[in-house]
Amino acid sequence: MKLVVAIVQDQDRNKLSDAFYEADIRATKLSSTGGFLRSGNTTFLVGVEEERLQEVLTLIEASCQAREQYIASPVNLDVSLDVTAAYPVRVMVGGATVFIVQIESFYQF
Ligand code: 2BA
């Protein structure tokens, strides 16, 4: 059995949730925050038998898309006059960041 940890953008959260539900794949959604953009994203935990792993990955790939985001990066224009301004820096986010972990034991009490 594997644990799939998938970090997705909030915009894709419902689409992926619905896809898991329709495929009868059990998942847990956690609200998370990206360390770089410091904005909200969603982390899915999916415990899955090995034979359904590829199906899970296919659903994630089909449900999540990459998007451009801009962050304001402060820049000092003139050190002596202490003038600062913010200019936008473009980053590509996602589709999904996925980790796959071997599960040693699985219990439901
Ligand atoms: P954030 O940390 O908010 O990162 C958002 C996007 O900013 C990243 O998209 C990447 O394009 C860019 N970025 C992140 N760190 C950077 C850096 N040091 N320098 C330049 N650009 C940087 P993604 O790579 O698609 O990541 C989306 C989200 O997935 C991340 O949000 C974070 O929450 C998670 N993530 C990505 N890689 C991870 C990792 N190795 N471990 C844990 N979480 C990760």
Side-chain angles (χ1 to χ4, degrees), residues 77-96:
L77 298 176
D78 185 330
V79 175
S80 58
L81 294 174
D82 200 23
V83 177
T84 58
Y87 70 99
V89 175
R90 191 183 66 158
V91 289
M92 282 300 291
V93 186

Side-chain angles (χ1 to χ4, degrees), residues 6-9 32-43 66-67 69 71 89-99:
I7 303 162
V8 310
Q9 294 177 65
S32 45
T33 304
F36 187 69
L37 294 179
R38 295 177 195 174
S39 62
N41 51 30
T42 300
T43 299
R67 294 182 185 85
Q69 287 204 24
I71 52 168
V89 175
R90 191 183 66 158
V91 289
M92 282 300 291
V93 186
T97 299
V98 180
F99 303 93

Side-chain angles (χ1 to χ4, degrees), residues 3-4 15 22 67 81 85 91:
L3 177 66
V4 178
K15 189 174 178 189
E22 278 161 26
R67 294 182 185 85
L81 294 174
V91 289

